[in-house]
Amino acid sequence: MNRIDQIKIVAMREIVERSRSTVFRASIVGIALVVAGAIVVLSIIGGDDDPISVGLGGEILPGLEEDISSVAEAVETPITVSVYETEDALIHAVREESVDVGLVNSSTVVTNSGAGTTETVILSTAVNVAERRIVGAQIGLSDDQINAIVAPVSLEFTELEESQPEDDTRAVVALAGSVVLFMSIVMFGQFVAMGIVEEKQNRVVEVVLSRIDSTSLLVGKVIGIGLLGIAQVTVIVTSAILALVFSPSDGFAGVDLAAVGIPSFVALGFWFVLGYLMFSFVYAAFGATVSRLEDLQSVAFIPAMILLPGYFLVVFSVGGSVTPIVRAASFFPFWTPIVMPLRITRGDAQWWEVAVSIAIVFVTIWLIVRFAARVYRGAALRTGARVKILEAFRGTDG
Amino acid sequence: MLAVRNIAKRYGDVIALADASFDVRPGRIVGFLGRNGAGKTTTMRTVFGLVAPDSGTVTLDGRPVDDEMRRRFGYMPEERGLYLRMKVHEQLVYFGQLSGMDKGDASDSADRWLLELGLNDRRDSKLEDLSHGNQQRVQLATAVVHNPNVLVLDEPFAGLDPIGVASLSKVLRDFADRGASILFSSHQLDLVEGVCEDVAIINEGVVVVEGTLASLREHANYRRLSVEVDGQPWMPSIPEIRVVEQDGDAHAVVDSSVPVDALLALARAAGDITSFSYEPPGLKDLFRDAVRE
């Protein structure tokens, strides 16, 4: 029997035994529901893409209502205009927030807390148009002449940088992706560490290691738990997508999933695999140094501390520009899986940079597997007090 | 033949093994004896590559033991341990597969062992739901499910009731009859005497005595002597005799160079012999001699 078969057998046991656990099943369903629920709630709260509502009251210039609508149309802004009998009725409506902006006597803009630039521009342009229409009539211009003078002119817009209407979506996905990556890596890394400690605590590890070597056991364990992790993340991401698509409100209307596309999710999965492989073996090595689950917390935070700076870097860089620090961090193997996706999303990374960073990660994984397997062998049969990780590493010579 | 040769292992300043050498021949059961900390567990772990020795070799039929050969070895560590939440049968299949069996063979073998050890009604129970005695039986089944040709058991009799002892003894005997090499450690010397033909005694990391129990007893340089003359305990007055105290029980031993006829003659001269016992030392005596400071 070769090593691959052994790894398969170990991985299968992990998958079968763990997926049978009620806690595991409940946690998947629970997290999926929470994520989907949060998206639905946020979309309802955040639904502010309603058209601007304008109220007119007092003396209204003739044609102003139509002029507001046509100016708004020229700047591609949805707008509703309603007319109030009296000035007081309009001010009441503004106060009650049944309209966003009130225009009293075609000259005074009334709001609760200041008008936005868009509203200001639309209203002042429309009032100007209406005034000129009146002046034009007074000096005897025909309707056609007046219209020729006041017709709103649409400007053409040229962007020197390539247009990316889905930038919002990409930022959201990049941020959500890094949160999911960080949490999954830490969570499943902890599962690996717990599995290692459990086997040590109930002493079965000696029976297992008398049959297969520590590398096969470790790799099998990591792959089994990792596949479960991918299944779990897939369920959660799917529930999030379904919630976005079928959400009753359009608070995430700016998030265009089609623009993100399947490749982004595949890429996310790829980076998860790399990050998980790297960190799960780090978790395994630290897990092997303790003998009881109660002691695990004293070492399990260390791998998370290694990953955390990369995570924060991404969180604080999502809205800003790609700095040299981010570029450098994307080549530090422990941070690559979480930082490089950000650079790729921004179109900042050259293909060879991505390739080099992935190569560095693979070499790192290879080194860590060897390191972790050796620590594991050195510490697996040592019970009692915590073993120093380097002591465990040196403890064996085979 | 499993041959352990000049194994040494040091942990920092602590010498776990200084020079351990012994053989386990096919079809033989070797009792591995020693005080706590003498190096028994370290030696057994060395056989399985769980401890890398600083020097020395472990060979099977002249070839250094490797991972492939170890898959035909069965091991029951002193620290018992299995997956508590796994079902008994699935657990046995898992370990059978790890030792290279295909799933079907492992399943058949697991069923046979569960039947043999009286556990077939607990086939689908989780290990944690079994009694301590039954967990021990599963541990044994785990060690033998892949039909090993070398069996290494660390304190296998510890914690077993008399029926468990008998059933384990039978399993060991059956394996030996089929040509397996068996090594087991124990503190229960009377039990060892009943189960095995060969012994190896280790003291402070050195195997000091090795051989068949019969020849070790035969070649001992003294005999136990117990004589009653006229219904009273009697001892000859010769320099070759001494009294040994052991576990609160005093008895006389005499150099094996003294002929039995001479002892009988001395006893007859003292009166009517009502009882006369002259026998080679038992395992307890051999053990005490071997590990004496």
Side-chain angles (χ1 to χ4, degrees), chain B residues 76 88 92 109-122 133-145 163-164 166-172 174-175:
Chain B
M76 187 199 268
V88 170
L92 294 178
S109 176
D111 281 327
R112 271 199 305 280
W113 278 108
L114 291 178
L115 196 65
E116 164 102 22
L117 297 173
L119 287 167
N120 48 329
D121 58 329
R122 306 313 299 269
N134 280 342
Q135 291 193 9
Q136 290 269 59
R137 290 195 176 93
V138 178
Q139 193 86 45
L140 173 64
T142 305
V144 296
V145 67
I163 295 171
S167 125
L168 175 56
S169 304
K170 178 180 178 295
V171 170
L172 297 188
D174 289 349
F175 264 97

Side-chain angles (χ1 to χ4, degrees), chain A residues 1 6 20 199 206 211, chain B residues 45 71 75 83 99 142:
Chain A
M1 185 171 65
Q6 294 178 340
R20 270 185 193 162
E199 288 190 353
E206 191 167 358
R211 289 166 199 254
Chain B
R45 285 177 171 176
R71 256 166 235 133
Y75 181 43
Y83 293 103
S99 291
T142 305

Side-chain angles (χ1 to χ4, degrees), chain A residues 90 102-110:
Chain A
L90 173 60
L103 183 61
V104 178
N105 295 334
S106 305
S107 57
T108 308
V109 176
V110 180

Side-chain angles (χ1 to χ4, degrees), chain A residues 29 31 45 54 90 130 153 171 184 203 228 251 317 319 364 369 389 394:
Chain A
V29 175
I31 295 173
I45 294 172
V54 175
L90 173 60
V153 177
S184 320
R203 320 279 182 158
L228 277 183
S317 306
T364 310
V369 170
I389 198 159
R394 282 192 296 261

Side-chain angles (χ1 to χ4, degrees), chain A residues 66-108:
Chain A
E66 292 77 22
D67 287 332
I68 290 174
S69 297
S70 58
V71 170
E73 199 177 314
V75 295
E76 294 175 351
T77 304
I79 205 160
T80 60
V81 184
S82 36
V83 176
Y84 289 81
E85 294 286 328
T86 63
E87 201 179 315
D88 287 345
L90 173 60
I91 288 169
H92 182 73
V94 172
R95 198 161 276 151
E96 293 287 299
E97 294 184 359
S98 28
V99 293
D100 298 326
V101 190
L103 183 61
V104 178
N105 295 334
S106 305
S107 57
T108 308

Side-chain angles (χ1 to χ4, degrees), chain A residues 328-348:
Chain A
S330 68
F331 288 99
F332 180 62
F334 290 105
W335 296 340
T336 298
I338 207 156
V339 177
M340 192 50 98
L342 175 80
R343 288 191 58 199
I344 296 173
T345 311
R346 292 299 187 72
D348 178 69

Side-chain angles (χ1 to χ4, degrees), chain A residues 15-33:
Chain A
I15 293 171
V16 170
E17 288 300 312
R18 277 168 195 278
S19 60
R20 270 185 193 162
S21 121
T22 323
V23 176
F24 175 80
R25 291 180 188 182
S27 74
I28 286 195
V29 175
I31 295 173
L33 287 178

Side-chain angles (χ1 to χ4, degrees), chain B residues 7 15-20 37-39 202-207:
Chain B
I7 298 277
I15 297 171
L17 285 176
D19 182 14
I202 186 168
N203 190 40
E204 293 179 343
V206 180
V207 173

